[in-house]
Amino acid sequence: MAVREILKMGDARLLRLAEPVRAFDTPELQALIADLFDTMEAANGAGLAAPQIGENLQLVIFGFSNNARYPDAEPVPRTVLINPVIEPIGDAEEEGWEGCLSVPGLRGVVPRFARIRYRGFDPSGQRIEREVQGFHARVVQHEVDHLIGRLYPTRMRDMSKLGYTSVLFPDLDAEPED
Ligand code: NI
């Protein structure tokens, strides 16, 4: 499998609506998922969406037990989520810092629903349904936004809270790329 190039903000391929996955449990799907994990792990990411490597499909991965880019985040189970749908539980929002491998070097404060229910499928076509909160809810909302062509800066309400990771969080300097 392979570490793939991650598209960066400004690339029109990040702005498309992704197509649903129609065939599960295929070698092509397994190969794509393996590439996504290799690419995410090489970049120390918390999540990655297929459109970020130029594959216009409704497929995201996320999860970590301990992430160098988000040292204070609680663990999120390693998940492949296909054809996802998100539903907020209540109106409560939380603000939190986000970064994105397609927006390297920057962090911004983004409002997200505090609690969500998400549904979708795993790679073999089994249903996934979870109710989550906190960083898990944030990561899923961020990744699923990639499937509708949204990058986190377009969700920000206060652009004064966008800055360079190296300035905002100098202790994270071990990752110069983001
Ligand atoms: Ni992202």
Side-chain angles (χ1 to χ4, degrees):
M1 297 301 112
V3 173
R4 305 265 294 262
E5 182 194 358
I6 298 176
L7 306 182
K8 295 200 187 91
M9 184 167 66
D11 191 308
R13 288 173 288 177
L14 290 170
L15 303 178
R16 299 181 291 187
L17 287 181
E19 301 286 340
V21 171
R22 298 184 197 283
F24 292 87
D25 220 3
T26 65
E28 294 79 13
L29 190 64
Q30 296 298 348
L32 170 58
I33 291 164
D35 281 2
L36 281 164
F37 275 108
D38 287 349
T39 305
M40 180 176 85
E41 281 159 13
N44 282 320
L48 191 65
Q52 290 179 275
I53 60 168
E55 303 286 349
N56 198 34
L57 290 169
Q58 293 178 19
L59 193 163
V60 304
I61 65 167
F62 50 85
F64 54 87
S65 50
N66 177 321
N67 187 280
R69 294 176 71 240
Y70 298 93
D72 298 329
E74 65 267 26
V76 175
R78 185 177 158 105
T79 301
V80 178
L81 183 64
I82 296 171
N83 300 348
V85 177
I86 291 177
E87 186 187 329
I89 301 173
D91 297 330
E93 292 182 349
E94 281 173 2
E95 296 203 316
W97 289 98
E98 294 185 18
C100 180
L101 298 175
S102 293
V103 190
L106 297 173
R107 294 286 170 104
V109 170
V110 185
R112 299 286 187 186
F113 289 111
R115 293 187 65 211
I116 61 170
R117 177 179 298 112
Y118 66 86
R119 297 186 175 88
F121 297 89
D122 77 4
S124 55
Q126 299 296 306
R127 285 180 187 281
I128 295 173
E129 177 171 349
R130 292 181 183 150
E131 290 185 15
V132 300
Q133 57 191 346
F135 196 73
H136 189 159
R138 176 170 299 279
V139 167
V140 173
Q141 289 171 86
H142 175 116
E143 297 310 329
V144 173
D145 261 357
H146 279 293
L147 307 182
I148 57 168
R150 295 291 297 262
L151 299 175
Y152 79 80
T154 74
R155 296 289 191 194
M156 292 180 64
R157 296 195 184 124
D158 179 355
M159 293 306 284
S160 75
K161 294 190 174 131
L162 180 69
Y164 289 98
T165 313
S166 58
V167 177
L168 291 162
F169 302 103
D171 294 345
L172 294 185
D173 245 0
E175 283 86 27
E177 289 172 26
D178 185 344

